[in-house]
Amino acid sequence: AVVSTQSTGARITDTLLQQYYSLDEEVARELVSRGRKMTARFRKDLDGISEKTGIPLRSCLRQYDNIRRIFKDIDEKEGKLISNIQRLYGLTGRLCQQYAVIIYILDNRLEVSTRKLPKLSYEMLVRCVLVIMQEWCSPLETSTDMDIDRQFLKDLHSLRDRVPDTLLSGFVACSADTIKNNPDNPKNTVLEGKRLVHRLLSLGYSLVHTKNLTDLFPDLEEEILGPWFSAGLSVGVLGTVVSVIMGNFVNVLTNNGFGSAVPLFSRYLKATTSCLLYMGNR
């Protein structure tokens, strides 16, 4: 009976803990949309967030305070962000991911405002940031996955001069042929596929600059997804073209003596193309 009582008490405590640290997606989306770290002065925005989302102010304040508390405890701790949150607070895996994403966005000052990205839901944002955390985090033992690997971005930028334009032109032509040979693709897919490749490469080379990294999501929306959908193409066709790009890029680089560039491009493309598909599936 004692064991049963203790077990029941532990379950109740855990349930209350999860409820206390629960997040409303609407509130979380608005909080990260403000685009700055949460100081005490941030509280003045909570009235507006409560009014906009319909979530009681008391609940908005609880969520705001919890995010601040976790951010303060996690900041500059070595190790994986999600694991640290789980270890310190005992939250479920899903909640740990949600808090990790919020902290990552705020710490890296990523532009995700609803003004610039009105169609980007919180769920899309979580998926996008998790893949970026996984692919672009620093490998240094003294770093956390809150730290974006700056050396990776520098090496990616250097590929603009290392990989010949003729090789990239050959890659574009090869991808265009593959796309053209698929009868399910609309006629303008070849042209838009070529433009997609050039825009992806240009964006990748620019991420070494802080402003371009900060604006990653608006750039994906405005420079790539916007033109793609304006051309009347679907996210399904985008997925097909992305698969072609990934496969051909690896083959062309490897077959022409640039195999050392494959890990860099793959690391970049895996994150950005995943984000494009998540963001485009709306």
Side-chain angles (χ1 to χ4, degrees):
V2 173
V3 173
S4 177
T5 302
Q6 289 176 340
S7 178
T8 301
R11 286 198 300 270
I12 292 173
T13 300
D14 183 65
T15 299
L16 292 174
L17 177 72
Q18 307 304 326
Q19 289 177 347
Y20 183 74
Y21 280 96
S22 65
L23 290 166
D24 291 299
E25 291 191 4
E26 304 93 331
V27 174
R29 182 70 184 90
E30 289 298 322
L31 288 173
V32 295
S33 181
R34 274 21 187 203
R36 61 184 185 275
K37 292 186 179 181
M38 294 183 178
T39 62
R41 292 162 61 185
F42 196 102
R43 282 178 173 239
K44 64 183 177 62
D45 290 341
L46 294 178
D47 284 326
I49 291 175
S50 174
E51 184 176 348
K52 183 175 180 178
T53 61
I55 304 296
L57 179 60
R58 181 177 178 180
S59 180
C60 293
L61 181 61
R62 171 185 62 78
Q63 294 174 65
Y64 162 82
D65 284 338
N66 287 342
I67 293 169
R68 281 194 70 195
R69 182 183 305 111
I70 293 178
F71 198 157
K72 182 179 178 182
D73 288 345
I74 291 297
D75 197 25
E76 299 191 9
K77 269 191 169 52
E78 295 182 7
K80 297 295 183 181
L81 183 54
I82 294 173
S83 298
N84 284 340
I85 295 172
Q86 204 285 326
R87 177 173 54 80
L88 290 174
Y89 287 90
L91 304 181
T92 63
R94 175 62 179 169
L95 264 181
C96 289
Q97 287 182 340
Q98 290 181 316
Y99 277 104
V101 165
I102 293 171
I103 291 170
Y104 188 89
I105 290 170
L106 295 175
D107 191 62
N108 288 289
R109 300 182 181 276
L110 298 180
E111 171 59 73
V112 294
S113 67
T114 51
R115 177 177 59 83
K116 287 194 173 184
L117 297 161
K119 297 178 181 178
L120 183 62
S121 70
Y122 182 64
E123 179 58 32
M124 292 177 191
L125 200 52
V126 168
R127 293 182 180 184
C128 290
V129 172
L130 286 176
V131 74
I132 290 174
M133 286 173 61
Q134 179 179 334
E135 296 298 327
W136 294 359
C137 69
S138 173
L140 299 177
E141 292 183 3
T142 54
S143 300
T144 74
D145 47 8
M146 275 203 297
D147 300 318
I148 295 176
D149 187 353
R150 296 287 171 171
Q151 188 58 51
F152 155 64
L153 299 180
K154 291 178 182 177
D155 292 342
L156 184 64
H157 177 74
S158 73
L159 292 180
R160 182 175 58 179
D161 298 321
R162 287 173 48 201
V163 179
D165 289 339
T166 52
L167 185 61
L168 294 178
S169 297
F171 157 68
V172 173
C174 177
S175 297
D177 287 341
T178 307
I179 294 168
K180 186 189 302 182
N181 290 334
N182 186 341
D184 294 330
N185 290 329
K187 291 183 179 179
N188 60 338
T189 307
V190 173
L191 176 60
E192 294 304 323
K194 290 179 179 179
R195 290 172 174 169
L196 173 65
V197 172
H198 287 299
R199 288 166 181 155
L200 276 172
L201 291 176
S202 178
L203 176 61
Y205 295 148
S206 73
L207 292 178
V208 69
H209 306 294
T210 301
K211 180 65 168 64
N212 295 92
L213 181 60
T214 299
D215 287 341
L216 172 63
F217 289 113
D219 285 346
L220 288 174
E221 177 65 40
E222 296 166 14
E223 300 297 327
I224 298 179
L225 286 177
W228 185 265
F229 289 134
S230 294
L233 296 173
S234 68
V235 69
V237 175
L238 177 61
T240 300
V241 172
V242 162
S243 296
V244 169
I245 291 171
M246 294 287 284
N248 283 348
F249 221 15
V250 172
N251 292 336
V252 168
L253 290 172
T254 302
N255 294 338
N256 288 274
F258 287 90
S260 61
V262 169
L264 284 171
F265 275 124
S266 296
R267 191 176 174 189
Y268 162 66
L269 288 172
K270 185 172 181 181
T272 49
T273 55
S274 294
C275 288
L276 285 172
L277 295 176
Y278 289 143
M279 293 169 68
N281 218 342
R282 56 203 184 203

